[in-house]
Coordinates of all heavy atoms in Angstrom, one line a residue:
V751 N 139.0 90.7 99.5 CA 139.1 91.1 100.9 C 137.9 90.7 101.7 O 138.0 90.3 102.8 CB 139.3 92.7 100.9 CG1 139.2 93.2 102.3 CG2 140.6 93.1 100.3
L752 N 136.7 90.7 101.1 CA 135.5 90.4 101.8 C 135.1 88.9 101.7 O 134.2 88.5 102.4 CB 134.3 91.2 101.3 CG 134.4 92.7 101.5 CD1 133.2 93.4 100.8 CD2 134.4 93.1 102.9
S753 N 135.8 88.1 100.9 CA 135.5 86.7 100.8 C 135.6 86.0 102.2 O 136.6 86.2 102.9 CB 136.5 86.1 99.8 OG 136.1 84.7 99.6
G754 N 134.7 85.2 102.5 CA 134.7 84.5 103.8 C 134.1 85.3 104.9 O 134.4 85.0 106.1
S755 N 133.4 86.4 104.6 CA 132.9 87.3 105.7 C 131.9 86.6 106.6 O 131.2 85.7 106.2 CB 132.2 88.5 105.1 OG 133.2 89.3 104.4
D756 N 132.0 87.0 107.9 CA 131.1 86.5 108.9 C 129.8 87.2 108.9 O 128.7 86.7 109.2 CB 131.7 86.5 110.3 CG 132.9 85.6 110.5 OD1 132.8 84.5 109.9 OD2 133.8 86.0 111.2
F757 N 129.8 88.5 108.6 CA 128.6 89.4 108.6 C 128.8 90.5 107.6 O 129.8 91.2 107.6 CB 128.5 90.0 110.0 CG 127.3 90.7 110.3 CD1 126.0 90.1 110.3 CD2 127.3 92.1 110.5 CE1 124.9 90.8 110.6 CE2 126.2 92.8 110.7 CZ 124.9 92.2 110.8
I758 N 127.8 90.6 106.8 CA 127.7 91.7 105.8 C 126.3 92.4 106.0 O 125.3 91.7 106.0 CB 127.9 91.2 104.3 CG1 129.2 90.6 104.2 CG2 127.7 92.4 103.4 CD1 129.4 89.9 102.8
Y759 N 126.3 93.7 106.1 CA 125.1 94.4 106.2 C 125.0 95.6 105.3 O 126.0 96.2 104.9 CB 124.8 94.8 107.7 CG 125.6 95.9 108.1 CD1 125.2 97.3 108.1 CD2 126.9 95.7 108.7 CE1 126.0 98.3 108.5 CE2 127.7 96.7 109.1 CZ 127.2 98.0 109.1 OH 128.0 99.1 109.5
S760 N 123.8 95.9 104.9 CA 123.5 97.1 104.1 C 122.2 97.7 104.6 O 121.2 97.0 104.6 CB 123.4 96.7 102.6 OG 123.0 97.8 101.9
V761 N 122.2 98.9 105.0 CA 121.0 99.7 105.4 C 121.1 101.0 104.7 O 122.1 101.7 104.8 CB 120.9 99.8 106.9 CG1 119.7 100.6 107.3 CG2 121.0 98.5 107.6
G762 N 120.0 101.3 103.9 CA 120.0 102.6 103.2 C 120.4 102.6 101.8 O 120.5 103.6 101.1
L763 N 120.8 101.4 101.3 CA 121.2 101.3 99.9 C 120.1 100.7 99.0 O 119.8 101.2 97.9 CB 122.5 100.5 99.8 CG 123.0 100.1 98.3 CD1 123.3 101.4 97.6 CD2 124.2 99.2 98.4
M764 N 119.5 99.6 99.4 CA 118.6 98.9 98.6 C 117.4 99.7 98.3 O 116.7 99.5 97.3 CB 118.1 97.6 99.3 CG 119.2 96.6 99.6 SD 120.0 96.1 98.0 CE 121.6 95.5 98.7
D765 N 117.1 100.7 99.1 CA 115.9 101.6 98.9 C 116.0 102.4 97.5 O 115.1 102.9 97.0 CB 115.9 102.7 100.0 CG 115.9 102.1 101.3 OD1 114.8 101.7 101.8 OD2 116.9 102.0 101.9
Y766 N 117.2 102.4 96.9 CA 117.5 103.1 95.7 C 117.6 102.2 94.5 O 117.7 102.7 93.4 CB 118.7 104.0 95.8 CG 118.6 105.1 96.8 CD1 119.1 104.9 98.1 CD2 118.1 106.3 96.5 CE1 119.0 105.9 99.1 CE2 117.9 107.3 97.5 CZ 118.4 107.1 98.7 OH 118.3 108.0 99.7
L767 N 117.6 100.9 94.7 CA 117.9 100.0 93.6 C 116.6 99.2 93.1 O 115.9 98.7 94.0 CB 118.9 98.9 94.1 CG 120.2 99.5 94.6 CD1 121.1 98.3 95.1 CD2 120.9 100.3 93.6
P768 N 116.4 99.2 91.8 CA 115.3 98.4 91.3 C 115.6 96.9 91.6 O 116.7 96.5 91.8 CB 115.3 98.7 89.8 CG 116.6 99.3 89.5 CD 117.2 99.9 90.8
D769 N 114.5 96.1 91.6 CA 114.6 94.7 91.9 C 115.7 94.0 91.2 O 116.5 93.2 91.8 CB 113.3 94.0 91.8 CG 112.3 94.3 92.9 OD1 112.7 95.0 93.9 OD2 111.2 93.9 92.8
P770 N 115.9 94.1 89.9 CA 116.9 93.3 89.2 C 118.4 93.6 89.7 O 119.2 92.8 89.9 CB 116.8 93.7 87.7 CG 115.4 94.1 87.6 CD 115.0 94.8 88.9
V771 N 118.6 94.9 90.0 CA 119.9 95.3 90.4 C 120.1 94.9 91.9 O 121.2 94.3 92.2 CB 120.1 96.9 90.3 CG1 121.4 97.3 91.0 CG2 120.0 97.3 88.9
A772 N 119.1 95.0 92.7 CA 119.2 94.6 94.1 C 119.4 93.1 94.2 O 120.2 92.6 95.0 CB 117.9 95.0 94.9
T773 N 118.7 92.3 93.3 CA 118.8 90.9 93.3 C 120.3 90.5 93.0 O 120.9 89.6 93.6 CB 117.9 90.3 92.2 OG1 116.5 90.6 92.6 CG2 118.1 88.8 92.1
R774 N 120.9 91.1 92.0 CA 122.3 90.8 91.6 C 123.3 91.2 92.7 O 124.2 90.4 93.0 CB 122.7 91.5 90.3 CG 122.0 90.8 89.1 CD 122.6 91.3 87.8 NE 122.4 92.7 87.6 CZ 121.4 93.3 87.0 NH1 120.4 92.5 86.5 NH2 121.3 94.6 86.8
L775 N 123.0 92.3 93.4 CA 123.9 92.8 94.4 C 123.8 91.8 95.6 O 124.8 91.4 96.2 CB 123.6 94.2 94.9 CG 124.4 94.7 96.0 CD1 125.9 94.7 95.7 CD2 124.0 96.1 96.4
I776 N 122.6 91.4 96.0 CA 122.4 90.5 97.1 C 123.1 89.2 96.8 O 123.7 88.6 97.7 CB 121.0 90.4 97.6 CG1 120.5 91.8 98.2 CG2 120.7 89.3 98.5 CD1 119.1 91.9 98.4
A777 N 122.9 88.7 95.6 CA 123.6 87.4 95.2 C 125.1 87.5 95.4 O 125.8 86.6 95.9 CB 123.2 87.0 93.8
S778 N 125.7 88.7 95.0 CA 127.1 88.9 95.1 C 127.5 88.9 96.5 O 128.6 88.4 96.9 CB 127.5 90.2 94.4 OG 127.3 90.1 93.0
L779 N 126.7 89.6 97.4 CA 127.1 89.7 98.8 C 127.0 88.3 99.5 O 127.8 88.0 100.3 CB 126.2 90.7 99.5 CG 126.3 92.2 99.1 CD1 125.3 93.0 99.7 CD2 127.7 92.7 99.3
Y780 N 125.9 87.6 99.1 CA 125.7 86.2 99.7 C 126.9 85.3 99.3 O 127.4 84.6 100.2 CB 124.4 85.6 99.2 CG 124.2 84.2 99.8 CD1 123.6 84.1 101.0 CD2 124.4 83.1 99.0 CE1 123.4 82.9 101.6 CE2 124.2 81.8 99.6 CZ 123.6 81.7 100.8 OH 123.4 80.5 101.4
A781 N 127.4 85.5 98.1 CA 128.6 84.7 97.7 C 129.8 85.0 98.4 O 130.8 84.2 98.5 CB 128.8 84.9 96.2
L782 N 129.9 86.1 99.1 CA 131.1 86.5 99.9 C 131.1 86.0 101.3 O 132.1 86.1 102.0 CB 131.2 88.1 99.9 CG 131.5 88.8 98.6 CD1 131.4 90.3 98.7 CD2 132.9 88.4 98.1
L783 N 129.9 85.4 101.7 CA 129.8 84.9 103.1 C 130.6 83.7 103.3 O 130.7 82.8 102.4 CB 128.3 84.7 103.4 CG 127.4 85.9 103.5 CD1 126.0 85.4 103.8 CD2 127.8 86.8 104.7
G784 N 131.2 83.6 104.4 CA 131.9 82.3 104.8 C 130.9 81.4 105.4 O 129.7 81.7 105.5
S785 N 131.3 80.2 105.8 CA 130.5 79.2 106.4 C 129.8 79.8 107.6 O 130.5 80.3 108.5 CB 131.3 78.0 106.7 OG 130.5 77.0 107.3
G786 N 128.5 79.7 107.7 CA 127.8 80.3 108.9 C 127.6 81.8 108.9 O 127.1 82.3 109.8
G787 N 128.1 82.4 107.8 CA 128.0 83.9 107.7 C 126.6 84.4 107.6 O 125.7 83.7 107.2
R788 N 126.4 85.7 108.0 CA 125.0 86.3 107.9 C 125.0 87.5 107.0 O 126.0 88.3 107.1 CB 124.6 86.6 109.3 CG 124.4 85.4 110.2 CD 123.9 85.7 111.6 NE 123.8 87.2 111.9 CZ 123.6 87.7 113.0 NH1 123.3 86.9 114.1 NH2 123.5 89.0 113.2
L789 N 124.0 87.6 106.3 CA 123.7 88.8 105.5 C 122.5 89.5 106.1 O 121.5 88.9 106.3 CB 123.4 88.3 104.0 CG 123.2 89.4 103.0 CD1 124.4 90.3 102.8 CD2 122.9 88.7 101.6
F790 N 122.6 90.8 106.3 CA 121.5 91.6 106.9 C 121.3 92.8 106.0 O 122.2 93.7 105.9 CB 122.0 92.0 108.3 CG 121.0 92.6 109.2 CD1 120.0 91.7 109.8 CD2 120.9 93.9 109.5 CE1 119.1 92.2 110.6 CE2 119.9 94.4 110.4 CZ 119.0 93.6 110.9
I791 N 120.1 92.9 105.4 CA 119.8 93.9 104.5 C 118.5 94.7 104.9 O 117.5 94.1 105.2 CB 119.5 93.3 103.1 CG1 120.6 92.4 102.6 CG2 119.1 94.4 102.1 CD1 121.9 93.1 102.3
G792 N 118.6 96.0 105.0 CA 117.5 96.8 105.3 C 116.8 97.5 104.2 O 117.5 97.8 103.2
N793 N 115.5 97.8 104.3 CA 114.8 98.6 103.2 C 113.6 99.2 103.9 O 112.9 98.6 104.7 CB 114.3 97.6 102.1 CG 114.0 98.3 100.8 OD1 114.8 98.1 99.8 ND2 113.0 99.2 100.8
L794 N 113.3 100.5 103.5 CA 112.2 101.2 104.1 C 110.9 100.6 103.6 O 110.8 100.1 102.5 CB 112.3 102.7 103.8 CG 113.4 103.4 104.5 CD1 113.4 104.9 104.0 CD2 113.2 103.4 106.0
V795 N 109.9 100.8 104.4 CA 108.5 100.4 104.1 C 107.7 101.7 103.8 O 107.9 102.7 104.5 CB 107.8 99.7 105.3 CG1 106.4 99.4 105.0 CG2 108.6 98.5 105.6
E796 N 106.9 101.7 102.8 CA 106.1 102.9 102.5 C 105.1 103.2 103.7 O 104.4 102.3 104.2 CB 105.2 102.7 101.3 CG 104.6 103.9 100.8 CD 104.0 103.8 99.4 OE1 103.8 102.7 98.9 OE2 103.7 104.9 98.8
A797 N 105.2 104.4 104.2 CA 104.3 104.8 105.3 C 103.4 106.0 104.8 O 103.9 107.0 104.4 CB 105.2 105.3 106.5
E798 N 102.1 105.8 104.9 CA 101.2 106.8 104.4 C 101.4 108.2 105.0 O 101.1 109.2 104.4 CB 99.8 106.3 104.6 CG 99.4 105.1 103.7 CD 98.0 104.6 104.0 OE1 97.2 105.4 104.5 OE2 97.7 103.5 103.6
D799 N 101.8 108.2 106.3 CA 101.9 109.5 107.0 C 103.2 110.3 106.6 O 103.3 111.4 107.0 CB 101.9 109.3 108.5 CG 103.0 108.4 109.0 OD1 103.6 107.7 108.2 OD2 103.3 108.5 110.2
A800 N 104.1 109.7 105.9 CA 105.4 110.4 105.6 C 106.0 110.2 104.2 O 106.5 111.2 103.7 CB 106.4 109.9 106.6
T801 N 105.8 109.1 103.6 CA 106.5 108.9 102.3 C 105.9 109.7 101.2 O 106.7 110.0 100.2 CB 106.5 107.4 102.0 OG1 105.1 106.9 102.0 CG2 107.3 106.6 102.9
W802 N 104.7 110.1 101.3 CA 104.1 111.0 100.2 C 104.9 112.3 100.1 O 105.2 112.8 99.0 CB 102.6 111.3 100.4 CG 102.4 112.2 101.6 CD1 102.2 111.8 102.9 CD2 102.4 113.6 101.7 NE1 102.1 112.8 103.7 CE2 102.2 114.0 103.0 CE3 102.6 114.6 100.7 CZ2 102.1 115.3 103.4 CZ3 102.5 115.9 101.1 CH2 102.3 116.3 102.4
L803 N 105.4 112.8 101.2 CA 106.2 114.0 101.2 C 107.5 113.8 100.5 O 107.9 114.7 99.7 CB 106.4 114.5 102.7 CG 107.3 115.7 102.9 CD1 106.5 117.0 102.4 CD2 107.7 115.9 104.3
M804 N 108.1 112.7 100.8 CA 109.4 112.4 100.1 C 109.2 112.3 98.6 O 110.0 112.8 97.8 CB 110.0 111.1 100.6 CG 110.4 111.2 102.1 SD 110.9 109.6 102.8 CE 112.3 109.2 101.9
D805 N 108.1 111.6 98.2 CA 107.9 111.4 96.7 C 107.4 112.6 96.0 O 108.0 113.0 95.0 CB 106.7 110.3 96.6 CG 107.3 108.9 96.7 OD1 108.5 108.7 96.5 OD2 106.5 108.0 96.9
F806 N 106.5 113.3 96.5 CA 105.8 114.4 95.7 C 106.3 115.8 96.0 O 106.3 116.7 95.2 CB 104.3 114.3 95.9 CG 103.7 113.1 95.5 CD1 103.2 112.1 96.4 CD2 103.7 112.7 94.1 CE1 102.7 110.9 95.9 CE2 103.2 111.5 93.7 CZ 102.7 110.6 94.6
V807 N 106.9 116.0 97.2 CA 107.4 117.4 97.5 C 108.9 117.4 97.3 O 109.4 118.4 96.7 CB 107.0 117.8 99.0 CG1 107.6 119.1 99.3 CG2 105.5 117.8 99.1
L808 N 109.6 116.5 97.8 CA 111.0 116.5 97.7 C 111.6 115.8 96.5 O 112.8 115.9 96.2 CB 111.6 115.8 99.0 CG 111.2 116.5 100.3 CD1 111.7 115.6 101.5 CD2 111.7 117.9 100.4
A809 N 110.7 115.1 95.7 CA 111.2 114.3 94.6 C 112.3 113.3 95.0 O 113.3 113.1 94.3 CB 111.6 115.2 93.4
W810 N 112.2 112.8 96.2 CA 113.1 111.8 96.7 C 112.5 110.4 96.5 O 111.7 110.0 97.4 CB 113.4 112.1 98.1 CG 114.5 111.3 98.8 CD1 115.3 110.4 98.3 CD2 114.8 111.4 100.2 NE1 116.1 109.8 99.2 CE2 115.9 110.4 100.4 CE3 114.3 112.1 101.3 CZ2 116.4 110.2 101.6 CZ3 114.9 111.9 102.5 CH2 115.9 111.0 102.7
H811 N 112.7 109.8 95.4 CA 112.0 108.6 95.1 C 112.8 107.3 95.6 O 113.9 107.1 95.1 CB 111.8 108.5 93.6 CG 111.1 109.7 93.0 ND1 109.8 110.0 93.4 CD2 111.5 110.7 92.3 CE1 109.4 111.1 92.8 NE2 110.5 111.6 92.1
L812 N 112.2 106.6 96.4 CA 112.8 105.4 96.9 C 112.0 104.2 96.4 O 110.8 104.3 96.0 CB 112.8 105.4 98.5 CG 113.6 106.5 99.1 CD1 113.5 106.4 100.6 CD2 115.0 106.4 98.7
V813 N 112.6 103.0 96.5 CA 111.9 101.8 96.2 C 111.4 101.2 97.5 O 112.1 100.7 98.3 CB 112.8 100.8 95.5 CG1 112.1 99.4 95.2 CG2 113.4 101.4 94.2
W814 N 110.1 101.3 97.7 CA 109.4 100.7 98.9 C 109.2 99.2 98.7 O 108.7 98.8 97.7 CB 108.1 101.4 99.2 CG 108.2 102.9 99.1 CD1 107.6 103.7 98.1 CD2 108.8 103.8 99.9 NE1 107.9 105.0 98.3 CE2 108.6 105.1 99.4 CE3 109.5 103.7 101.1 CZ2 109.1 106.3 100.0 CZ3 110.0 104.8 101.7 CH2 109.8 106.1 101.2
R815 N 109.5 98.4 99.7 CA 109.3 97.0 99.5 C 108.4 96.5 100.6 O 108.3 97.0 101.7 CB 110.7 96.3 99.5 CG 111.5 96.6 98.3 CD 112.6 95.7 98.0 NE 113.2 95.9 96.7 CZ 114.1 96.7 96.4 NH1 114.7 97.5 97.3 NH2 114.6 96.8 95.2
L816 N 107.8 95.3 100.4 CA 107.0 94.6 101.3 C 107.8 93.3 101.7 O 108.8 92.9 101.1 CB 105.7 94.2 100.6 CG 104.8 95.3 100.2 CD1 103.6 94.8 99.4 CD2 104.4 96.1 101.4
P817 N 107.4 92.7 102.8 CA 108.1 91.5 103.3 C 108.3 90.4 102.2 O 109.4 89.8 102.1 CB 107.2 91.0 104.4 CG 106.6 92.2 105.0 CD 106.3 93.0 103.7
D818 N 107.3 90.1 101.4 CA 107.4 89.1 100.4 C 108.5 89.5 99.4 O 109.3 88.6 98.9 CB 106.1 88.8 99.6 CG 105.1 88.1 100.5 OD1 105.5 87.5 101.5 OD2 103.9 88.1 100.1
G819 N 108.6 90.8 99.0 CA 109.6 91.2 98.1 C 111.0 91.1 98.7 O 111.9 90.7 98.0
M820 N 111.1 91.4 100.0 CA 112.4 91.2 100.6 C 112.8 89.7 100.7 O 114.0 89.4 100.4 CB 112.4 91.8 102.0 CG 112.4 93.3 102.1 SD 113.8 94.1 101.4 CE 115.0 93.9 102.7
A821 N 111.9 88.9 101.0 CA 112.1 87.4 101.1 C 112.6 86.8 99.7 O 113.4 85.9 99.7 CB 110.9 86.7 101.6
S822 N 112.0 87.4 98.7 CA 112.4 86.9 97.3 C 113.9 87.0 97.0 O 114.4 86.3 96.2 CB 111.5 87.6 96.2 OG 112.0 88.9 96.1
F823 N 114.5 88.0 97.7 CA 116.0 88.2 97.4 C 116.8 87.0 98.0 O 118.0 86.9 97.7 CB 116.5 89.5 98.1 CG 115.9 90.7 97.4 CD1 115.4 91.8 98.1 CD2 115.9 90.8 96.0 CE1 114.9 92.9 97.5 CE2 115.4 92.0 95.4 CZ 114.9 93.0 96.1
A824 N 116.2 86.2 98.8 CA 117.0 85.1 99.4 C 116.8 83.8 98.6 O 117.3 82.7 99.0 CB 116.5 84.8 100.9
K825 N 116.1 83.8 97.5 CA 115.8 82.6 96.7 C 116.9 82.4 95.6 O 117.4 83.4 95.1 CB 114.5 82.7 96.1 CG 113.3 82.7 97.1 CD 112.0 82.8 96.4 CE 110.9 82.8 97.5 NZ 109.6 83.0 97.0
G826 N 117.2 81.2 95.3 CA 118.0 80.8 94.2 C 119.5 80.8 94.5 O 120.3 80.7 93.6
H827 N 119.9 81.0 95.8 CA 121.3 81.1 96.1 C 121.9 79.6 96.2 O 121.2 78.7 96.7 CB 121.6 81.8 97.4 CG 121.2 83.3 97.3 ND1 121.7 84.2 96.4 CD2 120.2 83.9 98.0 CE1 121.1 85.3 96.6 NE2 120.2 85.2 97.5
E828 N 123.1 79.4 95.8 CA 123.8 78.2 96.0 C 125.1 78.4 96.8 O 125.9 79.3 96.5 CB 124.2 77.6 94.7 CG 123.0 77.1 93.9 CD 122.2 75.9 94.6 OE1 122.9 75.1 95.3 OE2 121.0 75.8 94.4
P829 N 125.3 77.7 97.9 CA 124.3 76.7 98.5 C 123.1 77.4 99.1 O 123.2 78.6 99.4 CB 125.2 76.0 99.6 CG 126.2 77.0 99.9 CD 126.5 77.8 98.7
A830 N 122.0 76.7 99.2 CA 120.8 77.3 99.7 C 121.0 77.8 101.2 O 121.8 77.2 101.9 CB 119.7 76.2 99.8
P831 N 120.4 78.9 101.5 CA 120.6 79.5 102.8 C 120.1 78.5 103.9 O 119.1 77.8 103.7 CB 119.7 80.7 102.8 CG 119.6 81.1 101.4 CD 119.6 79.8 100.7
Q832 N 120.7 78.6 105.1 CA 120.3 77.7 106.2 C 119.1 78.4 106.9 O 118.3 77.6 107.4 CB 121.5 77.6 107.2 CG 121.2 76.8 108.4 CD 122.4 76.8 109.3 OE1 123.2 77.6 109.3 NE2 122.4 75.8 110.2
H833 N 119.0 79.7 106.9 CA 117.9 80.4 107.5 C 117.7 81.7 106.8 O 118.6 82.4 106.4 CB 118.3 80.7 109.0 CG 117.4 81.6 109.7 ND1 116.2 81.2 110.2 CD2 117.4 82.9 109.9 CE1 115.5 82.2 110.8 NE2 116.3 83.3 110.6
V834 N 116.4 82.0 106.7 CA 115.9 83.3 106.0 C 114.8 83.8 106.9 O 113.9 83.1 107.3 CB 115.4 83.1 104.6 CG1 114.9 84.3 104.0 CG2 116.5 82.5 103.7
S835 N 114.9 85.1 107.2 CA 113.8 85.8 107.9 C 113.7 87.2 107.4 O 114.7 87.8 107.0 CB 114.0 85.7 109.4 OG 115.1 86.5 109.8
V836 N 112.5 87.7 107.5 CA 112.2 89.1 107.2 C 111.5 89.7 108.4 O 110.4 89.2 108.8 CB 111.4 89.3 105.9 CG1 111.1 90.8 105.7 CG2 112.1 88.8 104.7
D837 N 112.0 90.7 109.0 CA 111.4 91.3 110.2 C 111.3 92.8 110.0 O 112.0 93.4 109.2 CB 112.3 91.1 111.5 CG 112.5 89.6 111.8 OD1 111.4 88.9 112.0 OD2 113.6 89.1 111.8
I838 N 110.3 93.3 110.8 CA 110.1 94.8 110.7 C 110.6 95.4 112.0 O 110.4 94.7 113.1 CB 108.6 95.1 110.4 CG1 108.5 96.6 110.0 CG2 107.7 94.7 111.5 CD1 107.2 96.9 109.2
D839 N 111.2 96.6 112.0 CA 111.6 97.2 113.3 C 110.5 97.7 114.1 O 109.3 97.7 113.7 CB 112.7 98.2 113.0 CG 112.1 99.5 112.4 OD1 110.9 99.5 111.9 OD2 112.8 100.5 112.4
A840 N 110.8 98.2 115.3 CA 109.8 98.7 116.2 C 109.0 99.9 115.7 O 107.8 100.0 116.1 CB 110.4 99.0 117.6
T841 N 109.6 100.6 114.8 CA 108.9 101.8 114.2 C 107.9 101.4 113.1 O 107.1 102.2 112.7 CB 109.9 102.8 113.7 OG1 110.5 102.3 112.5 CG2 110.9 103.3 114.7
E842 N 108.1 100.1 112.7 CA 107.3 99.6 111.5 C 107.5 100.4 110.2 O 106.7 100.4 109.4 CB 105.8 99.5 111.9 CG 105.5 98.6 113.0 CD 104.0 98.5 113.3 OE1 103.2 99.1 112.7 OE2 103.7 97.6 114.1
K843 N 108.7 100.9 110.1 CA 109.1 101.7 108.9 C 110.3 101.1 108.2 O 110.7 101.6 107.1 CB 109.4 103.1 109.3 CG 108.2 103.9 109.8 CD 108.4 105.3 110.0 CE 107.2 106.1 110.5 NZ 106.0 105.6 110.7
C844 N 110.9 100.0 108.7 CA 112.0 99.4 108.0 C 112.0 97.9 108.1 O 111.8 97.3 109.2 CB 113.3 99.9 108.6 SG 114.8 99.5 107.6
L845 N 112.1 97.3 107.0 CA 112.2 95.8 106.9 C 113.7 95.4 107.0 O 114.5 96.1 106.4 CB 111.6 95.3 105.6 CG 110.1 95.4 105.4 CD1 109.7 95.0 104.0 CD2 109.4 94.6 106.5
F846 N 113.9 94.2 107.5 CA 115.3 93.7 107.5 C 115.2 92.2 107.1 O 114.5 91.4 107.7 CB 115.9 93.8 108.9 CG 116.1 95.2 109.4 CD1 115.2 95.8 110.2 CD2 117.2 95.9 108.9 CE1 115.4 97.1 110.6 CE2 117.4 97.2 109.3 CZ 116.5 97.8 110.1
L847 N 116.0 91.9 106.0 CA 116.2 90.6 105.5 C 117.4 90.0 106.2 O 118.5 90.7 106.1 CB 116.3 90.6 104.0 CG 116.8 89.3 103.4 CD1 115.7 88.2 103.5 CD2 117.1 89.5 101.9
E848 N 117.3 88.9 106.8 CA 118.5 88.2 107.4 C 118.6 86.8 106.7 O 117.7 86.1 106.7 CB 118.3 88.1 108.9 CG 119.6 87.6 109.5 CD 119.5 87.7 111.0 OE1 118.5 88.2 111.6 OE2 120.5 87.3 111.7
V849 N 119.8 86.6 106.2 CA 120.1 85.3 105.5 C 121.3 84.7 106.1 O 122.3 85.4 106.2 CB 120.3 85.6 104.0 CG1 120.5 84.2 103.2 CG2 119.1 86.3 103.4
H850 N 121.2 83.4 106.5 CA 122.4 82.7 107.1 C 122.9 81.7 106.1 O 122.1 80.9 105.6 CB 122.0 82.0 108.3 CG 121.6 82.9 109.5 ND1 121.8 82.6 110.8 CD2 120.9 84.0 109.5 CE1 121.3 83.5 111.5 NE2 120.7 84.4 110.8
A851 N 124.2 81.8 105.8 CA 124.8 80.8 104.9 C 125.0 79.5 105.7 O 125.2 79.5 106.9 CB 126.1 81.3 104.4
P852 N 124.9 78.3 105.0 CA 125.2 77.1 105.7 C 126.6 76.9 106.2 O 127.5 77.6 105.8 CB 124.8 76.0 104.7 CG 124.9 76.7 103.4 CD 124.7 78.1 103.6

């Protein structure tokens, strides 16, 4: 059903997945893109003013990622992506990986 998709996005899921699982999922999603399709993946950034509360008080453990870690999810795909970018939102609390299929 999703094969040949123009746009696939995930926000709020990758924060729970360790790198090996996230890598496999992103590879599977990328393989579903059609020609010129885009993959858009969000992940929270650790924020000293808030994330300690989630970790230590609420026991809500997320996988915090940095831009380089997000960019690494775009490597090794066949065919190679036409465009890859990692941007941070205006709040500086969420990273977004954008990958364009050729």
Side-chain angles (χ1 to χ4, degrees):
V751 172
L752 294 177
S753 183
S755 293
D756 294 324
F757 186 68
I758 298 174
Y759 72 95
S760 172
V761 179
L763 173 62
M764 298 301 160
D765 307 276
Y766 296 94
L767 304 178
D769 283 353
V771 176
T773 298
R774 286 192 300 272
L775 177 57
I776 290 171
S778 295
L779 294 175
Y780 182 79
L782 293 171
L783 292 175
S785 178
R788 294 181 354 186
L789 184 60
F790 193 74
I791 306 291
N793 203 112
L794 290 176
V795 176
E796 188 169 19
E798 293 180 16
D799 63 340
T801 54
W802 67 270
L803 179 72
M804 293 171 66
D805 278 338
F806 299 111
V807 176
L808 302 174
W810 185 6
H811 305 293
L812 298 179
V813 178
W814 313 108
R815 292 196 168 88
L816 299 171
D818 288 345
M820 290 295 284
S822 71
F823 293 133
K825 295 179 181 175
H827 299 298
E828 291 295 330
Q832 180 181 23
H833 170 80
V834 174
S835 65
V836 177
D837 297 303
I838 193 160
D839 72 344
T841 69
E842 298 185 352
K843 294 191 180 355
C844 193
L845 291 173
F846 293 99
L847 170 67
E848 188 169 359
V849 183
H850 295 216

